[in-house]
């Protein structure tokens, strides 16, 4: 027996009929066609499926799609504007914050949430803020560097009221 | 000044924009019209007779297209699982392995049936309705017990569980070394089983065109040409009718090299049912069925003089093969031939024993044999240093193969190409502040704090690998191919037989081509992972071979393009070829650089009218590179930890790594490889352990809740530096770096921990040195009962 679910994904309103047991991550990937949100573990450890639900970082394998009724969901595909990357995406690129890239969307979404709560985190706060996400390639060194770099650039851009690209220290 | 000097430059990876924006193309992102989904029914027992399988309910379930068991694949999938011979042991037993069990299941997770359905959830539901009657048999778990005559057998038809037994160098060969020894130290060193755990699990999507009789397989794999060879053969299809595509791959670490049962069954079902079939591995399936690494026991003895002069080593490797031999599992025996490390020895005796058990097969995992070798030799050196009261660094220096001795023929006849072990060690000591650390350690011990300093002066052999050597030991040449095509407008498409799954080849290989051809980097595109493109065969990516072998093939093919372009440029400039100079991507007549022809102009001419007589059109080349030797990276790692004896917890204070991989194409990528590699070494030292219940063979660490992969919180800061000793083995002077960190790190950490707890009389600590295990060991060493320890064993949450 399918159920109706209506929500906003990356700014677009959608309505779909889904099985009640369908997880939000499967909804995003298989119904909405947004395959940037990945599945890495099936037990909510790895964080590869992290998205924002009403502004909060959520592992999308921990929610049924129907629980996202009326929610605002943002996925990795919603961050960039055209080919203009979000400062966190740019920072991951600049700092070699990814290798195979599979965990990356989850890290970036967790990072977006972290910086929304704490715009100027210390290294330890970044580590703690990302502890729900697993990476097997980078040893986390450059991921931490990437988030730090993004925080500085976003802070500078905000402070100076200028575009991110012009940001300095 | 060079206009383009990209080799050595920190170029940001061109792979990244698609990956950071969610536009990667991983296996689960791909779908085919009309596809059905496969769910495998797997043995819940480590060892069982399959008595009866009832498919009635499953076949009747909603959305089910088919349910198959072993008999349905007869005539569809031929042959048994391939295993390469790495050596010729005195005794060898290779149990036949078919992709699906019929009479007997030999490890938990072995496939016994498969359901195809219209949706994934329908397939999962129906798989639960397949009724299998098992007669549970005793499981073989412990390696030593498995070798006892009265042990149960991993397969009921086996005479014993000995998979192989080979003495590489007999014990008598080291009689004189041990006879003249003033000190002998012995240790048993454990290498626990590890799950490679790429963040993306495996997956296969296959489509068969019934009328054209062509098979296309999309999968997450490190060497698509091997899969084409094996699967095409098993399905009796010519290789020309099979296309294997492996696009973005979410990590491999060696676990996506060998063919797996699903790699045969999914394509076979696509042909049997006439619909594309998709299967994506769950994480539990991955930990249970994807090959494991390590799983070894080493018994080691070292003979030396009291002044620290090393004399001889004797080692026996017991390797847990699992229920079947992994395709490249025998490669792990290279731990024996690398056991001498960076040092002089009069002699080394070695024996490798492969043991069949009721567990998933082991196969190469990052480092494969070389981390084990480094771990044992570096551990034994510290053990000896402790025994004779010598500083472990002084002991290493006393026995190092010296920079002036290269090329150096080591004890097993392999030729170490180049090195300067003293140089990397001195640099690491200086960065770490070694002498001050020892002083501080003494001070802290006086205050009841336990600082430990661990050193690993590691070496590695990689870049597989000369066909003469690889062919003799593995039966495969391990050369590498490349095709370089310069289009009429000067853009360049390059196909490589290697495969990138995080290594950044699309960027680094383009740097090589841009420099060699003298064309803008932006005009060079690197392609891989599609067997319909490029040369006839490629050997894939593993064994840190992509650059030293694959990169060299690309370099060679690019040079061939330059050679032809030079002939054509001579014609265009109306000069003799020997008078043509090629500089910065332009050809000119010696002394007249103002009248130059750029590579792009020559390329355009190569496809136009007016070629010199006898010259064929086109500007492209294929090369197969067969390296003259392996390459031998090296380095020095220093770990500094503090152990809390009251909790057994290990706190990192410092980790310094100075590594040498010869010339560097892109330092950013090299650093990234080292970071990740080092953390996988840490992780083995401290956290990871595939645990099975010994009596039943049940996997106890089947999810990421139980199998610990560290998070950002557990990881220390890592200070990297390098020395550069170019290899004479190839024109680029490059060695591999993909596995180096893992090879070096586990023992640096364990040596540091052992050093920290040495005041308690502890001489050896095994992996994983998890707090509960370490705490128990300290308690026991102190003579305090550890009965309050809360059981548990290996896995940490």
């Amino acid at each position: 027996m399918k159920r109706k679910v209506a929500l906003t994904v990356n700014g677009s309103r959608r309505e779909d009929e889904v099985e009640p047991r369908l997880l939000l991550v499967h909804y995003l990937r298989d119904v909405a066609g947004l395959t940037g949100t990945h599945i890495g573990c099936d037990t909510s450890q790895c964080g590869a499926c992290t998205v924002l639900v009403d502004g909060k970082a959520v592992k999308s394998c921990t929610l049924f799609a129907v629980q996202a009724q009326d929610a605002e969901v943002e996925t990795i595909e919603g961050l960039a504007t055209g080919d203009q990357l979000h400062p966190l995406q740019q920072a991951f690129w600049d700092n070699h914050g990814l290798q195979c890239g599979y965990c990356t969307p989850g890290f970036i979404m967790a990072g977006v949430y972290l910086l929304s709560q704490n715009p100027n985190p210390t290294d330890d706060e970044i580590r703690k803020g990302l502890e729900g996400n697993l990476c097997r390639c980078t040893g986390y060194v450059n991921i931490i560097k990437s988030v730090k770099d993004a925080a500085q650039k976003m802070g500078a851009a905000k402070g100076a009221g200028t575009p991110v690209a012009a940001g300095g220290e | 000044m060079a206009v383009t000097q990209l080799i050595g430059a920190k170029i940001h990876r061109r792979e990244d924009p698609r990956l950071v924006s969610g536009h990667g193309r991983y296996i689960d992102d791909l779908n085919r019209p009309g596809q059905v989904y496969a769910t495998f029914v797997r043995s819940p027992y480590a060892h069982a007779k399959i008595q009866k399988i009832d498919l009635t309910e499953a076949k009747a379930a909603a959305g089910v297209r088919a349910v198959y068991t072993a008999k349905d694949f007869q005539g569809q999938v031929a042959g048994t699982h391939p295993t390469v011979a790495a050596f010729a042991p005195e005794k060898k037993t290779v149990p036949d392995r078919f992709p699906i069990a019929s009479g007997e299941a030999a490890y938990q997770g072995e496939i016994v049936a498969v359901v195809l359905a219209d949706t994934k959830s329908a397939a999962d539901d129906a798989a639960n309705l397949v009724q299998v009657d098992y007669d549970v048999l005793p499981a073989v778990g412990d390696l030593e017990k498995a070798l006892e005559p009265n042990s149960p057998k991993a397969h009921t038809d086996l005479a014993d569980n000995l998979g192989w037994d080979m003495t590489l160098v007999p014990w008598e060969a080291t009689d004189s070394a041990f006879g003249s020894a003033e000190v002998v130290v012995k240790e048993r060193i454990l290498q626990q089983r590890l799950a490679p755990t790429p963040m993306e699990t495996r997956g296969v999507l296959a489509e068969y065109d019934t009328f054209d009789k062509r098979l296309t397989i999309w999968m997450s794999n490190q060497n698509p040409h091997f899969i084409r060879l094996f699967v095409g053969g098993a399905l009796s299809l010519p290789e020309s009718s099979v296309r294997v595509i492996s696009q973005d791959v979410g990590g491999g670490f060696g676990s996506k090299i060998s063919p797996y049962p699903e790699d045969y069954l999914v394509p076979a079902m696509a042909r049997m049912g006439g619909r594309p079939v998709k299967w994506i591995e769950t994480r539990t399936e991955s930990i249970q069925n994807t090959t494991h690494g390590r799983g070894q026991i080493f018994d080691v003895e070292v003979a030396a003089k009291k002044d620290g002069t090393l004399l001889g080593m004797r080692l026996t490797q017991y390797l847990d093969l699992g229920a079947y031999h992994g395709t490249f599992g025998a490669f792990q025996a290279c731990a024996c031939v690398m056991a001498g490390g960076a040092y002089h020895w009069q002699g080394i005796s070695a024996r490798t024993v492969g043991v069949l058990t009721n567990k998933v097969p082991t196969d190469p995992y990052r480092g494969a044999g070389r981390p084990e070798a480094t771990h044992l030799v570096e551990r034994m050196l510290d053990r000896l240093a402790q025994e004779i009261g010598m500083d472990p660094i002084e002991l290493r220096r006393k026995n190092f193969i010296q920079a002036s001795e290269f090329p150096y023929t080591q004890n097993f006849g392999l030729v170490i190409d180049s090195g300067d072990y003293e140089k990397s060690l001195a640099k690491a000591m200086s960065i770490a502040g070694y002498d001050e650390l020892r002083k501080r350690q003494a001070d802290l011990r006086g205050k009841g704090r336990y600082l430990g300093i661990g050193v690993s002066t590691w070496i590695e052999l990689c870049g597989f690998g000369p066909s003469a050597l690889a062919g003799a030991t593995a039966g495969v040449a391990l050369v590498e191919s490349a095709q370089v095509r310069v289009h009429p407008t000067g853009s360049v498409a390059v196909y490589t037989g290697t495969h990138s799954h995080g290594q950044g080849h699309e960027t680094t290989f383009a740097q090589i081509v841009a420099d060699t051809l003298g064309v803008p980097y932006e005009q060079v595109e690197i392609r891989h992972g599609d067997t319909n493109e490029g040369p006839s065969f490629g050997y894939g990516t593993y064994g840190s071979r992509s650059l030293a072998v694959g990169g060299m093939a690309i370099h060679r093919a690019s040079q061939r393009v330059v050679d032809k372009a030079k002939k054509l440029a001579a014609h265009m400039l109306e000069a003799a070829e020997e008078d043509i100079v090629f500089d910065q991507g332009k050809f000119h007549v010696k002394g007249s650089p103002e009248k130059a022809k750029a590579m792009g102009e020559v390329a355009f001419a190569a496809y136009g009218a007016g070629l010199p007589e006898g010259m064929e059109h086109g500007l492209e080349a294929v090369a197969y590179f067969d390296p003259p030797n392996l390459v031998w990276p090296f380095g020095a790692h220093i770990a500094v930890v503090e152990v809390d004896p009251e909790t057994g917890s290990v706190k990192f204070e410092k980790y310094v790594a100075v590594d040498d991989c010869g010339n560097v194409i892109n330092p950013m990528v090299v650093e990234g490889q080292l970071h990740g590699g080092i953390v996988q070494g840490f992780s083995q030292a401290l956290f990871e352990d595939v645990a099975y219940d010994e009596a039943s063979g049940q996997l106890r660490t089947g999810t990421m809740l139980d199998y610990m992969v560290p998070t950002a919180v557990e990881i220390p800061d890592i200070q990297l530096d390098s020395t550069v000793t170019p290899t004479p083995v190839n024109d680029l002077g490059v060695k591999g770096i993909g596995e180096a960190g893992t090879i070096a790190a586990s023992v640096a950490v364990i040596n540091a921990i052992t050093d920290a707890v040495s005041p308690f009389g502890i001489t050896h600590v095994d992996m994983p040195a998890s707090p509960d295990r370490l705490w128990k060991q300290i308690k026991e060493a102190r003579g305090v009962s550890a009965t309050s320890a809360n059981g548990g064993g290996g896995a940490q949450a």
Side-chain angles (χ1 to χ4, degrees):
Chain A
M1 175 75 94
K2 292 198 169 184
R3 274 187 55 178
K4 206 171 258 183
V5 63
L7 67 164
T8 305
V9 181
N10 297 334
S12 299
R13 185 82 179 158
R14 298 184 57 98
E15 273 191 35
D16 296 284
E17 296 226 329
V18 300
E19 282 190 56
R21 65 172 167 178
L22 186 75
L23 296 173
L24 179 59
V25 63
H26 289 126
Y27 172 81
L28 292 170
R29 291 180 55 82
D30 301 338
V31 181
L34 296 167
T35 56
T37 302
H38 296 150
I39 299 169
C41 72
D42 312 318
T43 50
S44 305
Q45 258 77 46
C46 80
C49 65
T50 305
V51 299
L52 299 185
V53 177
D54 294 330
K56 283 188 182 164
V58 167
K59 292 178 181 177
S60 58
C61 69
T62 60
L63 281 187
F64 293 115
V66 292
Q67 288 176 288
Q69 176 68 34
D70 297 328
E72 299 258 354
V73 175
E74 190 168 11
T75 73
I76 189 73
E77 289 93 341
L79 285 188
T81 310
D83 64 357
Q84 181 70 43
L85 298 175
H86 182 280
L88 253 168
Q89 292 172 315
Q90 184 69 43
F92 271 70
W93 187 12
D94 290 346
N95 293 284
H96 192 30
L98 64 149
Q99 289 178 28
C100 82
Y102 195 77
C103 70
T104 311
F107 268 99
I108 290 176
M109 298 314 286
V112 168
Y113 177 68
L114 171 68
L115 296 185
S116 75
Q117 300 301 301
N118 180 356
N120 195 18
T122 63
D123 280 15
D124 273 352
E125 286 167 344
I126 293 171
R127 287 170 191 263
K128 289 200 180 80
L130 300 177
E131 74 178 336
N133 294 68
L134 295 176
C135 169
R136 192 64 159 164
C137 294
T138 64
Y140 304 101
V141 180
N142 288 343
I143 290 178
I144 296 163
K145 210 165 136 188
S146 301
V147 174
K148 196 152 190 164
D149 183 37
Q152 281 170 357
K153 293 202 169 123
M154 287 163 79
K158 207 173 179 183
T162 52
V164 167
E169 284 299 299
Chain B
M1 273 303 286
V3 176
T4 57
Q5 177 57 56
L6 289 160
I7 290 180
K10 177 186 163 183
I11 308 267
H12 291 144
R13 300 196 322 170
R14 53 167 60 154
E15 291 88 339
D16 291 359
R18 74 170 183 268
L19 301 178
V20 297
S21 63
H23 292 88
R25 290 176 294 269
Y26 300 95
I27 182 64
D28 196 19
D29 303 339
L30 309 174
N31 294 292
R32 299 297 298 167
Q35 76 188 15
V36 293
Y37 297 81
T39 297
F40 290 95
V41 177
R42 297 172 185 277
S43 170
Y45 301 108
H47 197 190
K49 279 262 182 225
I50 300 162
Q51 299 291 17
K52 200 180 122 199
I53 305 178
D54 184 351
L55 305 177
T56 319
E57 272 190 81
K59 280 187 170 171
V64 170
R65 294 264 168 182
V67 187
Y68 298 122
T69 60
K71 65 175 170 27
D72 299 303
F73 292 97
Q74 282 168 15
Q76 294 290 338
V77 182
T80 57
H81 191 79
T83 57
V84 301
F87 44 73
E90 291 98 55
K91 179 183 186 304
K92 192 168 182 184
T93 302
V94 181
D96 279 344
R97 182 183 190 183
F98 300 96
I100 180 164
S102 49
E104 187 174 325
Y107 66 92
Q108 189 193 36
E110 188 161 13
I111 296 168
V112 296
V114 54
V115 175
L116 292 186
D118 290 337
T119 64
K120 179 65 188 142
S121 47
D124 287 346
D125 290 346
N128 285 326
L129 301 174
V130 173
Q131 302 292 330
V132 188
D133 288 348
Y134 293 99
D135 183 7
V136 180
L137 298 166
V140 180
D142 182 86
L143 290 191
E144 284 186 299
K145 286 184 193 157
L147 293 174
E148 291 168 4
N150 60 352
S151 167
K153 309 296 180 274
H155 300 262
T156 47
D157 59 352
L158 289 181
D160 57 47
N161 293 313
L162 197 56
W164 72 58
D165 190 351
M166 183 186 182
T167 299
L168 289 91
V169 178
W171 260 226
E172 302 87 83
T174 47
D175 277 351
S176 72
F178 276 80
S180 59
E182 293 166 357
V183 56
V184 174
V185 286
K186 292 184 190 186
E187 202 58 73
R188 166 163 282 200
I189 296 172
L190 306 181
Q191 287 278 343
Q192 75 271 37
R193 269 184 178 246
L194 302 176
T197 326
M199 292 313 300
E200 182 204 35
T201 57
R202 294 182 298 120
V204 186
L205 170 62
E207 181 169 55
Y208 185 72
D209 186 320
T210 311
F211 300 102
D212 287 342
K213 301 198 185 324
R214 286 180 201 282
L215 174 67
T216 306
I217 307 170
W218 293 265
M219 63 190 297
S220 179
N221 180 265
Q222 297 178 223
N223 57 349
H225 289 90
F226 265 99
I227 297 297
R228 184 183 64 178
L229 177 70
F230 291 136
V231 175
L235 271 59
S236 304
L237 289 167
E239 276 173 279
S240 50
S241 303
V242 181
R243 179 181 185 186
V244 178
I245 302 171
S246 179
Q247 299 191 24
D248 288 321
V249 169
F253 314 114
S255 70
K256 295 174 181 174
I257 303 172
S258 296
Y260 283 87
E262 299 88 352
D263 303 349
Y264 301 101
L265 298 178
V266 171
M269 291 188 290
R271 184 168 65 179
M272 288 152 73
R275 279 173 172 270
V277 177
K278 182 173 180 176
W279 168 74
I280 302 295
E281 189 182 51
T282 67
R283 179 56 64 185
T284 293
E285 282 183 302
S286 175
I287 301 177
Q288 198 178 51
N289 298 280
T290 290
T291 54
H292 293 160
R294 320 290 188 255
Q296 296 159 48
I297 299 172
F298 291 91
D299 283 332
V300 196
E301 282 182 77
V302 165
K305 289 187 189 166
K306 277 187 178 151
D307 70 355
T309 306
L310 297 173
L311 298 173
M313 183 194 284
R314 287 171 170 168
L315 76 142
T316 306
Q317 174 190 41
Y318 297 94
L319 198 155
D320 183 350
L321 298 171
Y324 304 98
H325 291 238
T327 301
F328 295 96
F331 179 76
Q332 299 171 98
C334 83
C336 294
V337 303
M338 289 298 287
Y343 315 103
H344 295 116
W345 299 86
Q346 277 182 19
I348 301 176
S349 297
R351 175 184 174 212
T352 175
V353 180
V355 185
L356 293 159
T357 60
N358 291 114
K359 300 176 197 165
V360 76
T362 53
D363 218 29
Y365 162 60
R366 203 170 194 170
R370 292 152 291 161
E372 295 94 314
T374 303
H375 199 93
L376 79 89
V377 66
E378 294 298 305
R379 193 70 278 285
M380 290 310 287
L381 258 78
D382 269 31
R383 180 81 180 72
L384 175 65
Q386 194 178 356
E387 185 80 16
I388 61 175
M390 193 170 184
D391 183 276
I393 282 187
E394 198 189 330
L395 179 63
R396 284 167 170 78
R397 283 181 156 158
K398 189 176 179 70
N399 293 285
F400 268 156
I401 300 163
Q402 299 297 312
S404 57
E405 294 179 89
F406 296 102
Y408 180 84
T409 304
Q410 50 95 285
N411 294 73
F412 292 85
L414 296 169
V415 178
I416 306 180
D417 62 341
S418 58
D420 191 342
Y421 306 148
E422 176 58 40
K423 195 172 169 184
S424 51
L425 176 60
K427 198 166 189 177
M429 287 173 73
S430 152
I431 295 168
Y434 185 75
D435 296 333
E436 295 81 67
L437 281 171
R438 285 289 176 203
K439 280 183 207 135
R440 213 157 70 72
Q441 179 182 43
D443 287 350
L444 287 174
R445 277 186 188 169
K447 294 171 189 158
R449 288 176 60 188
Y450 298 91
L451 194 75
I453 303 152
V455 183
S456 165
T457 43
W458 65 278
I459 72 166
E460 174 189 358
L461 93 179
C462 65
F464 306 99
S467 64
L469 178 71
T473 56
V476 284
L478 301 185
V479 298
E480 199 47 87
S481 66
Q483 180 183 41
V484 173
R485 297 183 294 173
V486 186
H487 300 131
T489 52
S491 68
V492 183
V494 178
Y495 189 88
T496 171
T498 64
H499 189 280
S500 184
H501 30 280
Q503 295 89 340
H505 298 167
E506 290 172 44
T507 303
T508 53
F509 286 173
Q511 292 177 250
I512 296 172
V513 175
D515 271 11
T516 313
L517 294 182
V519 299
Y521 166 79
E522 295 74 17
Q523 286 186 20
V524 182
E525 187 184 328
I526 304 292
R527 305 179 66 83
H528 63 85
D530 183 345
T531 60
N532 263 20
E533 288 194 56
S536 165
F537 200 79
Y539 277 81
T541 286
Y542 40 82
S544 302
R545 66 188 301 277
S546 296
L547 174 58
V549 191
M552 273 303 300
I554 286 174
H555 185 56
R556 283 276 171 91
S558 301
Q559 283 174 325
R560 283 179 192 165
V561 164
V562 173
D563 290 346
K564 178 169 183 187
K566 195 173 184 182
K567 287 189 175 71
L568 181 51
H571 174 72
M572 293 164 77
L573 292 163
E574 297 173 346
E577 191 190 336
E578 50 274 23
D579 293 333
I580 298 294
V581 176
F582 179 55
D583 184 35
Q584 303 305 325
K586 288 181 177 166
F587 297 91
H588 67 260
V589 181
K590 215 176 289 174
S592 311
E594 69 288 347
K595 254 184 75 184
K597 295 283 178 195
M599 182 62 84
E601 293 174 83
V602 179
F604 195 76
Y607 296 92
L611 294 191
E613 206 172 312
M615 182 180 280
E616 276 186 25
H617 281 81
L619 192 56
E620 57 187 318
V622 168
Y624 279 78
F625 182 69
D626 186 0
N629 189 4
L630 297 158
V631 288
W632 299 71
F634 62 93
H637 288 208
I638 298 179
V640 184
V641 304
E642 186 173 350
V643 175
D644 180 348
E646 302 309 319
T647 63
S649 71
V650 175
K651 203 178 117 202
F652 274 94
E653 182 163 301
K654 199 175 272 193
Y655 195 94
V656 174
V658 176
D659 298 297
D660 192 320
C661 60
N663 289 334
V664 167
I665 305 297
N666 186 328
M668 185 186 73
V669 169
V670 167
E671 287 182 9
Q673 289 294 311
L674 280 166
H675 288 149
I678 288 169
V679 167
Q680 284 187 9
F682 282 165
S683 190
Q684 177 178 13
L686 296 172
F687 308 118
E688 292 179 47
D689 187 11
V690 176
Y692 285 90
D693 178 75
E694 209 184 292
S696 67
Q698 289 283 313
L699 180 66
R700 294 195 293 134
T701 51
T703 71
M704 281 184 157
L705 188 62
D706 308 301
Y707 188 82
M708 177 158 174
V709 171
T711 74
V713 173
E714 283 86 24
I715 297 312
D717 288 325
I718 301 168
Q719 283 174 269
L720 297 182
D721 211 319
S722 61
T723 60
V724 179
T725 309
T727 176
V729 169
N730 59 59
D731 293 345
L732 293 169
V734 296
K735 301 180 178 181
I737 200 66
E739 297 163 290
T742 307
I743 289 166
S746 69
V747 74
V749 174
I750 290 294
N751 279 348
I753 294 171
T754 311
D755 185 46
V757 298
S758 61
F760 303 116
I762 291 172
T763 57
H764 177 66
V765 172
D766 264 317
M767 302 184 286
S770 51
D772 65 325
R773 289 165 53 118
L774 195 54
W775 178 77
K776 277 184 231 169
Q777 196 176 355
I778 294 167
K779 287 275 184 208
E780 278 160 24
R782 281 171 148 179
V784 179
S785 163
T787 47
S788 59
N790 57 345
Q796 295 303 296

